[in-house]
Amino acid sequence: MPGVLAVLEQRDGALKKVSHEVLTAACGLASGIGGAVEAIVVGPPGIDTDSVGAFGGEKLFVVTHEDFKLYQPEPYAAAVVERVKSGDYTAVVLGATAMGKDLGPRIAARLACPLAADATAIEANGGIKVTRPLYSGKALSELTITSTPCVISVRPNTFTAKENAREVSVEVIQAPDGPNAAVRARTVVVKEPETARLDVAEAAVVVSGGRGLKESENFKLVEDLVDAFGNAAVGASRAVVDAGWRPHSDQVGQTGKTVSPQLYVAIGISGAIQHLAGMRTSRVIVAINKDKEAPIFKVADYGIVGDLFEILPRLTEEVIKARGT
Ligand code: FAD
């Protein structure tokens, strides 16, 4: 019976959190349309794949090459396409991450098959229906997939990873080629952000600051709340990134990163449409703003109208008390 192929992501030989979300999305899809979940990961030798069975994968293909330490667009796409052609899959599921946004269209183009990008929900009941946000999240579009195989990328942090233990068999394949002279694009270096904090696109809690903080030094208040949560990242509006208060890697929004954490706290951010585009699918949104008419309150689940300089230290204190940290 045709199955679902989950394309996993690794960094430095460890599976990324989004890989477990992709497996969960693939399992949900497979339970609706039938078939098993198989997975593929492409990377350097020695990837730690122990968790694949725990999240529902029944067969894992590990395609390795010494030169796959960094994502290499053409060889990675070739490896996945080769797998799809050798197997029998209704759908290929991957993360709508920086890598997935590049890889998904390459796979779909090579297979001449449909691509549904950045899905926030997948309904599988005989057929496949995918929901994806449009117009900076102001509208949701529902796509019905009419031909298979298809490629679906899922928005990170939207499909909460669920354990679903399975016996997994692993096949390691040595890729014939790395990024050789024939490739048209090659990843040469990946620059890590200077901070040791979590990446804004991967954290369960994101605390973002905007121009309401008045000056870059006041981001210390945001960082204190982030540290109090522990599993959190610092985010920022474009206004403060443009002002040089925060690096671009922190920016949330249309021209920054798209995030969907469990909790998004917007502090001194007005809620311009371009900012909302990057965070409105967050599970719970809390906004602190002194202007009760600020548009951010339209998407917030909890709104605190007041001066952030008074509220933030008290909020941080309460989080520390509640978490016993
Ligand atoms: P402001 O709009 O100035 O808001 C500051 C807020 O702080 C106000 O609501 C104010 O009431 C509040 N405030 C002030 N003092 C206090 C206080 N003491 N206590 C509590 N609240 C206080 N923006 C993004 O964020 N991300 C993007 O990716 C992005 N991409 C863009 C792409 C394009 C093509 C364009 C044109 C714009 C883009 N923008 C983006 C910019 C966006 O339009 C806004 O200008 C920006 O988001 C505003 O940032 P802000 O909310 O920090 O600042």
Side-chain angles (χ1 to χ4, degrees):
M1 180 184 272
V4 177
L5 182 67
V7 181
L8 311 184
E9 226 171 286
Q10 58 80 34
R11 181 169 298 161
D12 299 330
L15 286 185
K16 293 182 75 178
K17 175 173 157 270
V18 71
S19 296
H20 299 150
E21 297 168 11
V22 167
L23 279 166
T24 299
C27 287
L29 182 52
S31 71
I33 56 172
V37 172
E38 298 188 346
I40 180 169
V41 60
V42 187
I47 302 168
D48 178 0
T49 56
D50 283 356
S51 57
V52 171
F55 289 91
E58 294 188 27
K59 169 101 196 176
L60 171 66
F61 300 89
V62 184
V63 182
T64 68
H65 193 285
E66 285 296 342
D67 294 335
F68 286 170
K69 286 195 179 69
L70 302 177
Y71 166 61
Q72 298 298 345
E74 292 174 47
Y76 271 47
V80 177
V81 167
E82 171 71 24
R83 168 84 311 265
V84 177
K85 286 185 175 163
S86 330
D88 187 7
Y89 304 104
T90 307
V92 177
V93 180
L94 73 170
T97 56
M99 180 185 107
K101 284 177 184 167
D102 186 86
L103 185 60
R106 290 179 188 275
I107 299 168
R110 287 176 188 222
L111 293 170
C113 77
L115 165 72
D118 203 21
T120 51
I122 306 173
E123 207 181 298
N125 195 359
I128 305 175
K129 213 194 262 178
V130 172
T131 305
R132 55 188 301 265
L134 284 182
Y135 304 120
S136 303
K138 283 199 124 180
L140 293 175
S141 103
E142 274 187 1
L143 313 176
T144 302
I145 301 209
T146 52
S147 88
T148 60
C150 60
V151 179
I152 304 173
S153 68
V154 295
R155 182 174 285 201
N157 288 323
T158 309
F159 293 80
T160 307
K162 278 197 211 112
E163 295 220 8
N164 176 15
R166 290 279 190 281
E167 190 81 20
V168 61
S169 68
V170 181
E171 190 178 324
V172 179
I173 301 155
Q174 175 66 40
D177 289 311
N180 58 25
V183 302
R184 287 159 295 179
R186 175 194 308 262
T187 309
V188 181
V189 69
V190 171
K191 286 194 180 160
E192 299 286 343
E194 282 156 25
T195 166
R197 291 179 189 280
L198 288 176
D199 187 283
V200 77
E202 291 179 6
V205 177
V206 174
V207 183
S208 285
R211 195 144 46 189
L213 281 150
K214 311 280 187 245
E215 53 188 58
S216 67
E217 287 67 30
N218 292 334
F219 257 87
K220 171 82 175 62
L221 294 170
V222 173
E223 290 173 348
D224 288 347
L225 182 55
V226 163
D227 292 340
F229 277 118
N231 55 346
V234 178
S237 71
R238 176 164 163 177
V240 305
V241 171
D242 286 352
W245 300 0
R246 298 300 300 182
H248 184 258
S249 53
D250 287 355
Q251 187 182 315
V252 172
Q254 189 182 312
T255 43
K257 290 182 180 160
T258 302
V259 302
S260 269
Q262 302 291 324
L263 173 64
Y264 187 87
V265 188
I267 299 166
I269 291 179
S270 57
I273 181 72
Q274 297 89 355
H275 188 81
L276 301 186
M279 46 63 72
R280 68 190 309 158
T281 54
S282 304
R283 199 64 56 86
V284 175
I285 299 172
V286 175
I288 304 174
N289 199 302
K290 67 177 185 184
D291 174 9
K292 69 177 179 14
E293 305 295 338
I296 192 75
F297 288 128
K298 292 205 175 89
V299 298
D301 299 284
Y302 299 93
I304 306 174
V305 179
D307 185 350
L308 69 90
F309 295 101
E310 284 170 25
I311 295 161
L312 211 41
R314 285 164 61 188
L315 185 59
T316 302
E317 214 172 284
E318 291 303 321
V319 172
I320 290 171
K321 265 195 232 157
R323 296 193 68 243
T325 47

